[in-house]
Amino acid sequence: MVSLKAVVGAVLSFLTIQSSALTIAGKPNRLIKPYKRAPLQDLVTWDEHSLFVRGERIMFFSGEFHPYRLPVPSLWLDVFQKIKSLGYSGVSFYVDWALLEGQRGSFTADGVFALEPFFDAASQAGIYLLARPGPYINAEVSGGGYPGWLQRITGVIRTDDQSYLDATQLYAQSIGAIIAKAQITNGGPVILFQPENEYSFSANGIEFPNREYFAYVEQQFRDAGIVVPFIDNDAAAQGLFAPGTGLGSVDIYGHDSYPLGFDCANPYTWPSGRLPTYFRSTHLQQSPSTPYSLVEFQGGAFDPWGGLGFDQCAVLLNYEFERVFYKNNYASGVTIFNIYMTYGGTNWGNLGHPGGYTSYDYGAVAKEDRLITREKYSEAKLEANFLKVSPAYLVGNAGTASNGSYTYNPALAVTPILSNTTNFYVVRHSAYESLDSTDYTLSVSTSAGNATIPQLGGSFTLNGRDSKIHVTDYDIGGIDVLYSSAEVFTWEKYDSKTVLVLYGGAGETHETAFKLSTFSSNVSAEVTEGSGVQTAQQGGAVILNWEVTPERKVVSIGDELEVYLLWRNDAYNYWALELPSDAVGNYTSPSKTKVIAKAGYLLRTATLSGDDLYLTGDINSTTTVEVIGSPSSGNVYFNGEQLDSSNTVTFTPPQISIPSLGSLTWKSIDNLPELQSNYDDSAWTAATNTNSSNPRRLTTPTSLYASDYGYNTGSLIYRGRFTASGNESSFTITTQGGSAFGHSLFLNGTVLGSWPGIDRDENYNQTVTLPNLSAGSTYILTVVIDHMGLDENFNPGSDEMKNPRGILNYNLAGQPQSALTWKLTGNFGGESYADKTRGPLNEGAFFAERQGYHLPNPPTADWETSSPLDGIASAGAAFYSTSFDLDLPTDYDIPLSFVFANTTAAATKRSLLSTRQTGNSTASGFNYRCQLFVNGWQFGKYVHNIGPQDTYPVPEGILNYHGTNYVGLSLWALDAEGAKVDGLELVSDGAVLTSYGDVGVVESPAYAQREGAY
């Protein structure tokens, strides 16, 4: 193996020199493992430093974005462009198997589940893709991406048990072929592929790591035509499947890291010892021949039921986190860097795991409603653009951080990254969580000799929870930046001059020097804008020293260089966009020319037409669009309009009309007719299976595990029939629905009790007292259970995904278990689900969903006129329907959200705390659950007594902004006194004047009577 490894290294070296590419389309004739021979293509290669794409060395700076969490394909380009404008070159994406093969043997990837529009949008934006189709993905989705029917296979999942391997075959073959067509070898955006996911730890009792299994997964995808490099994401830096370690080894080793954890309840707490300072040394031990790769690095956090909301997660993982932790990664030499998440989206239609609620905002740089108003978006933009214009970083050798070195201040740690010419010095506090402001000087080695800076007086300051990257001998198109304490945002060399943009924090002193011998003529510095810049020439350099203020400062050095000295918060308003090229389109390339402009909220694209420059972008206030660097000398257009001499683009807030939902006419229908004495359940599924392949041993005469009967999502209803002996005194039941689930128990239509749920419990045992029953009479126990999704399966061998949903056990005091016969239902059709457009998880067991009344234009003429704000007077369930028209202004992005009022919780905080701890509440009507359907799409599961979510963004495309919209709302009251919705409104989350264009309305089939619906 050692000699083969050396051969592969030599071939790679040769391929990086070649300018031509051998494009291998489709499936190669011979499929030999890439770790045993040269790569299967030569468009994407690598060495120990970085990737090469088409022979050019690039930083794969990537953000995670899942198309299935934004089911509006015409909006995918919007997200891609916002990521591209950050300066990122890539996106990583998961594929959720559960959405594509909800019925075994029937693979469907059409409509909102089709990936081809996703690939097209990535190509249009110029984003390279890392494909991660699993089959297991984790990802906080139901079952970790596994379809519910997988609960019924006999073998252990995520092993080489043949029943499991057979179950994955259709999916792997089908999704592999779809992705293969989108590889760079076929002109597509996919340049990397990850088989499996976080295959890093296991339960006891299985072979682990199982190399035969991992190699089998790899071969499945090679057989499907995947030829781009394989990369893995070890959940921790263990070196599993690193190149050269044996069977199943990948091409490029990578790992994940979430160092600050998920404690969003304490967003200002940074525990000591959380900064990973071992990354570089571990990488050199585990995979020195491949680029250092962080395939998932923390970009936010998930938030559980009963949490405090994603806004707090965005504070915990904010711009300070990016400065300290991301720059620590750069100090470790990362060149494949994927941030999880960059856009989180929504767990619509029950696709989420039981540990989380509908929102998957994640506290990411882009909010769930796609707004980019978080400061962390702008900080990420500064960092990514710096690395894009710093090719020396990609070949630098990261050193070891040491306290006091370079600064002679033990409170600071400096990590050098050294290359043949340019050096980078990453400075942070030795105690990374420090809130101190620490003054220092920096001693560095430059091509002009050693220097202690600043040379013109003063000192630098590192504020608390900050980190800086200082550079020496930093090349900007032939001009040598001898040193700079101010951080580089971007630069570009044009025919007429070079433009350099530097920034720092308010009140900081900075100093930058330029080597005079690298200019073509004798030059001097002239301050052309602003004040407070001290200039000097000494030691063969021109030196600038200044204190950062909100006022912009511009310095011209001869006719060759223009330097912009910015306050960091002003730098947030600047953008650096690559111009497209014939060779690589909009994809990132170090050979492409950039346009640098100040333009406020968002710049999307820059193109040239003749001598004129055309910019597109979005604004949320009146904005000055100022181009400070461009190869064009002609007119400047913004969103098609030529800018006048003021360069001002006026923002006029749109006039919008949004209906008051409380004022609309609502129609309602009983959503639990099963409680009626004459209800006919003859069409229901009889629970007659006396055996189950589930690992949990049956404790009932027949299986009452929902997935044994094909019900894997939404909600579950059981009806148990028995003939009374007259001796029955109580009924005890154990149900399981996943974290924060609830249940209600009824006897012949009378509520016996409910479990309202708490965030931490996934099952519950309850005993209820029965009334006196008449001997010989027939009684029906109705059990309603909220299905919160299937558990993930992080540890192979645990088979946690198979943890059943439904009834685990019961006891009817005075009767044997066999006295009850059970029927059950879930979503209509189960795995043979009715709604192919919205997929296999969107519906549950309640009557309205089985009938399809949640779809547009249901038959409400004979329904009662009643509002969810009036509610119901007893335990049970009702379904409400209404419609409204929208006609919102075009050219604006106007995010809308449905907002539930929670006045009960506000008035009874002590009761709320008690509820979350015990499941009991003193507030009448406090315990209720709602589902929100918008044009048939379930976009909200609201649990009033647990929370935290009460605001549910619904994107344009699901909402028709220029037509009629149908809203369905289910209300499940768990208290005997019933419940009503405190309030429900549709609100605007702001407005952005956008260049994006039209958003297509997603196909949303209307109600049609379902044959056989019961």
Side-chain angles (χ1 to χ4, degrees):
M1 294 297 290
V2 174
S3 60
L4 286 172
K5 180 179 174 184
V7 168
V8 171
V11 172
L12 285 174
S13 234
F14 171 71
L15 287 173
T16 60
I17 295 171
Q18 293 189 95
S19 59
S20 61
L22 172 62
T23 302
I24 303 174
K27 180 178 175 182
N29 291 327
R30 293 191 302 156
L31 292 175
I32 303 175
K33 297 287 186 186
Y35 53 79
K36 293 182 179 178
R37 52 159 258 178
L40 300 175
Q41 47 73 47
D42 72 348
L43 289 175
V44 185
T45 57
W46 65 96
D47 63 9
E48 71 274 22
H49 296 297
S50 73
L51 287 177
F52 293 83
V53 179
R54 299 183 181 92
E56 292 184 316
R57 194 182 288 280
I58 70 162
M59 169 111 181
F60 186 73
F61 202 124
S62 168
E64 189 82 14
F65 163 36
H66 304 153
Y68 56 84
R69 283 186 159 118
L70 179 60
V72 184
S74 60
L75 282 175
W76 292 341
L77 178 62
D78 175 61
V79 177
F80 278 131
Q81 287 183 338
K82 288 170 178 170
I83 293 174
K84 180 71 173 180
S85 292
L86 281 165
Y88 292 13
S89 58
V91 157
S92 165
F93 70 98
Y94 277 134
V95 182
D96 189 346
W97 178 13
L99 296 173
L100 304 184
E101 196 182 352
Q103 181 177 22
R104 185 169 186 175
S106 178
F107 177 91
T108 303
D110 300 322
V112 300
F113 306 113
L115 285 175
E116 291 82 2
F118 186 73
F119 299 143
D120 292 343
S123 295
Q124 184 176 343
I127 289 286
Y128 290 123
L129 295 179
L130 161 56
R132 306 201 296 157
Y136 181 72
I137 62 171
N138 211 64
E140 289 78 63
V141 294
S142 180
Y146 282 148
W149 53 262
L150 206 62
Q151 287 198 333
R152 297 195 298 276
I153 68 167
T154 56
V156 178
I157 56 183
R158 298 188 78 185
T159 73
D160 60 355
D161 185 283
Q162 195 60 48
S163 65
Y164 171 69
L165 300 181
D166 290 346
T168 66
Q169 189 58 36
L170 174 62
Y171 171 73
Q173 176 185 354
S174 301
I175 197 64
I178 290 171
I179 294 171
K181 292 177 182 178
Q183 292 175 109
I184 189 172
T185 51
N186 292 318
V190 176
I191 65 168
L192 292 169
F193 187 98
Q194 179 191 295
E196 245 284 351
N197 184 74
E198 294 176 325
Y199 184 78
S200 303
F201 307 99
S202 73
N204 294 327
I206 68 163
E207 177 187 352
F208 188 87
N210 187 329
R211 290 190 169 275
E212 286 75 16
Y213 161 68
F214 203 85
Y216 183 92
V217 176
E218 292 177 323
Q219 193 61 45
Q220 281 182 306
F221 290 116
R222 290 293 186 212
D223 288 344
I226 300 299
V227 296
V228 295
F230 279 165
I231 190 170
D232 70 341
N233 71 324
D234 211 349
Q238 303 176 102
L240 291 181
F241 301 102
T245 58
L247 184 65
S249 297
V250 293
D251 298 307
I252 301 171
Y253 173 75
H255 69 89
D256 298 351
S257 179
Y258 292 80
L260 206 50
F262 305 95
D263 187 11
C264 301
N266 296 288
Y268 301 102
T269 300
W270 286 14
S272 61
R274 292 288 185 86
L275 187 73
T277 57
Y278 57 87
F279 278 171
R280 182 64 179 175
S281 59
T282 303
H283 168 68
L284 293 176
Q285 294 169 10
Q286 295 173 343
S287 191
S289 64
T290 65
Y292 180 46
S293 304
L294 283 166
V295 181
E296 286 185 29
F297 191 81
Q298 188 162 24
F302 58 77
D303 191 50
W305 288 103
L308 296 176
F310 282 113
D311 284 344
Q312 294 217 164
C313 297
V315 174
L316 177 67
L317 291 314
N318 65 359
Y319 52 91
E320 294 173 322
F321 171 82
E322 292 175 325
R323 289 173 194 158
V324 175
F325 282 82
Y326 290 8
K327 290 178 184 178
N328 180 69
N329 296 337
Y330 313 147
S332 302
V334 67
T335 61
I336 295 177
F337 183 37
N338 180 54
I339 298 170
Y340 190 105
M341 297 292 296
T342 293
Y343 171 75
T346 304
N347 288 325
W348 65 275
N350 303 304
L351 70 82
H353 77 140
Y357 42 92
T358 303
S359 176
Y360 198 67
D361 178 280
Y362 215 78
V365 296
K367 297 171 65 176
E368 181 181 3
D369 58 12
R370 297 173 293 103
L371 291 176
I372 50 173
T373 52
R374 289 175 175 151
E375 186 172 348
K376 62 189 294 185
Y377 178 93
S378 299
E379 174 62 31
K381 179 178 65 172
L382 296 182
E383 296 181 25
N385 276 282
F386 163 65
L387 294 176
K388 180 184 284 190
V389 296
S390 302
Y393 168 79
L394 296 178
V395 294
N397 293 305
T400 302
S402 55
N403 300 344
S405 62
Y406 302 99
T407 65
Y408 306 106
N409 187 333
L412 300 180
V414 179
T415 305
I417 305 171
L418 308 177
S419 72
N420 290 336
T421 53
T422 302
N423 296 330
F424 305 83
Y425 299 90
V426 184
V427 182
R428 61 170 172 83
H429 280 97
S430 302
Y432 85 98
E433 71 275 21
S434 172
L435 296 173
D436 294 340
S437 293
T438 304
D439 293 337
Y440 65 100
T441 59
L442 187 71
S443 295
V444 293
S445 175
T446 76
S447 59
N450 296 332
T452 297
I453 58 173
Q455 297 189 80
L456 302 186
S459 61
F460 306 134
T461 302
L462 184 69
N463 292 309
R465 296 189 177 178
D466 198 359
S467 177
K468 297 186 182 299
I469 302 177
H470 305 315
V471 297
T472 62
D473 291 302
Y474 184 85
D475 179 64
I476 53 171
I479 297 174
D480 184 359
V481 180
L482 195 63
Y483 63 80
S484 180
S485 67
E487 295 189 87
V488 176
F489 168 51
T490 192
W491 64 269
E492 184 62 65
K493 182 178 181 180
Y494 304 104
D495 291 340
S496 59
K497 63 183 177 182
T498 296
V499 174
L500 171 65
V501 183
L502 304 174
Y503 68 92
E508 296 174 352
T509 294
H510 282 289
E511 190 170 278
T512 300
F514 302 92
K515 196 171 184 179
L516 285 168
S517 62
T518 58
F519 290 86
S520 61
S521 60
N522 293 328
V523 296
S524 60
E526 178 186 359
V527 180
T528 59
E529 182 181 331
S531 60
V533 181
Q534 181 183 359
T535 67
Q537 289 193 16
Q538 62 185 53
V542 58
I543 304 173
L544 313 179
N545 182 291
W546 72 99
E547 179 181 326
V548 177
T549 65
E551 176 192 49
R552 184 172 79 175
K553 310 172 199 306
V554 182
V555 180
S556 293
I557 302 179
D559 296 327
E560 299 179 46
L561 177 63
E562 195 166 60
V563 185
Y564 287 77
L565 309 177
L566 304 179
W567 173 41
R568 179 166 50 206
N569 288 39
D570 190 32
Y572 289 164
N573 296 312
Y574 286 71
W575 304 85
L577 300 183
E578 294 175 324
L579 293 167
S581 73
D582 292 337
V584 296
N586 288 324
Y587 294 111
T588 294
S589 167
S591 62
K592 294 170 72 172
T593 300
K594 292 181 298 301
V595 170
I596 307 171
K598 181 179 182 181
Y601 180 78
L602 173 66
L603 270 189
R604 293 180 182 268
T605 66
T607 56
L608 290 179
S609 178
D611 224 17
D612 294 336
L613 174 64
Y614 287 80
L615 302 174
T616 67
D618 300 3
I619 61 172
N620 59 0
S621 62
T622 296
T623 301
T624 298
V625 176
E626 178 188 10
V627 177
I628 65 171
S630 171
S632 165
S633 59
N635 297 316
V636 177
Y637 293 78
F638 183 78
N639 294 346
E641 297 292 329
Q642 183 178 340
L643 295 179
D644 60 23
S645 58
S646 71
N647 294 327
T648 299
V649 180
T650 301
F651 176 80
T652 302
Q655 299 296 313
I656 60 176
S657 176
I658 299 175
S660 169
L661 299 184
S663 300
L664 297 176
T665 298
W666 292 80
K667 306 298 286 290
S668 70
I669 193 170
D670 183 3
N671 213 15
L672 263 179
E674 295 84 0
L675 303 183
Q676 299 172 13
S677 59
N678 60 348
Y679 182 78
D680 179 9
D681 64 9
S682 59
W684 284 39
T685 301
T688 56
N689 293 352
T690 56
N691 295 296
S692 175
S693 58
N694 195 284
R696 185 187 183 278
R697 182 180 60 84
L698 288 181
T699 48
T700 54
T702 62
S703 173
L704 297 177
Y705 302 157
S707 286
D708 279 348
Y709 302 95
Y711 300 119
N712 306 314
T713 185
S715 51
L716 305 167
I717 304 176
Y718 292 79
R719 287 168 59 84
R721 188 184 306 267
F722 67 95
T723 300
S725 66
N727 297 320
E728 299 86 357
S729 58
S730 64
F731 179 67
T732 299
I733 190 168
T734 302
T735 59
Q736 183 160 276
S739 299
F741 89 108
H743 73 222
S744 290
L745 312 176
F746 301 86
L747 180 67
N748 282 7
T750 300
V751 64
L752 297 174
S754 292
W755 167 241
I758 58 176
D759 50 10
R760 67 174 180 264
D761 279 2
E762 64 177 34
N763 54 54
Y764 189 70
N765 179 267
Q766 183 174 23
T767 299
V768 293
T769 301
L770 297 178
N772 294 326
L773 304 185
S774 299
S777 295
T778 298
Y779 291 87
I780 295 177
L781 284 161
T782 301
V783 183
V784 183
I785 302 173
D786 206 355
H787 189 314
M788 310 301 282
L790 300 174
D791 291 331
E792 296 172 297
N793 208 89
F794 183 77
N795 292 315
S798 67
D799 271 7
E800 292 172 282
M801 175 266 173
K802 294 182 179 180
N803 291 340
R805 299 292 181 253
I807 297 174
L808 304 184
N809 205 355
Y810 64 89
N811 178 54
L812 179 61
Q815 292 262 31
Q817 279 188 318
S818 58
L820 278 85
T821 58
W822 290 92
K823 288 188 172 185
L824 75 155
T825 189
N827 63 300
F828 179 66
E831 290 164 12
S832 300
Y833 55 98
D835 189 346
K836 304 304 182 186
T837 299
R838 299 173 183 88
L841 302 181
N842 191 60
E843 300 175 6
F846 281 110
F847 176 71
E849 294 165 68
R850 302 196 313 262
Q851 295 293 324
Y853 293 159
H854 61 293
L855 302 176
N857 200 24
T860 61
D862 296 330
W863 294 11
E864 178 184 352
T865 298
S866 176
S867 166
L869 305 185
D870 299 325
I872 53 179
S874 61
F879 182 80
Y880 301 88
S881 179
T882 192
S883 64
F884 58 84
D885 291 339
L886 289 176
D887 188 16
L888 300 185
T890 58
D891 299 328
Y892 286 88
D893 185 2
I894 306 173
L896 298 178
S897 296
F898 290 81
V899 180
F900 287 84
N902 201 334
T903 56
T904 305
T908 59
K909 291 182 178 179
R910 183 174 300 174
S911 176
L912 174 59
L913 177 61
S914 172
T915 298
R916 289 181 178 173
Q917 292 176 341
T918 67
N920 299 309
S921 172
T922 59
S924 174
F926 182 77
N927 300 299
Y928 66 86
R929 295 168 179 246
C930 294
Q931 287 187 99
L932 172 70
F933 293 90
V934 181
N935 292 321
W937 304 81
Q938 195 258 54
F939 254 80
K941 178 174 273 193
Y942 174 64
V943 183
H944 180 264
N945 56 298
I946 297 178
Q949 187 175 6
D950 53 23
T951 298
Y952 295 83
V954 179
E956 182 178 5
I958 296 298
L959 275 168
N960 185 346
Y961 276 24
H962 307 285
T964 301
N965 294 274
Y966 294 86
V967 174
L969 189 75
S970 65
L971 171 63
W972 171 11
L974 290 92
D975 294 335
E977 301 84 359
K980 63 179 181 179
V981 175
D982 290 346
L984 180 64
E985 289 297 339
L986 182 64
V987 301
S988 168
D989 300 328
V992 176
L993 183 63
T994 181
S995 63
Y996 185 67
D998 294 336
V999 176
V1001 177
V1002 172
E1003 179 188 4
S1004 299
Y1007 167 80
Q1009 186 171 350
R1010 292 177 171 179
E1011 183 178 355
Y1014 47 86

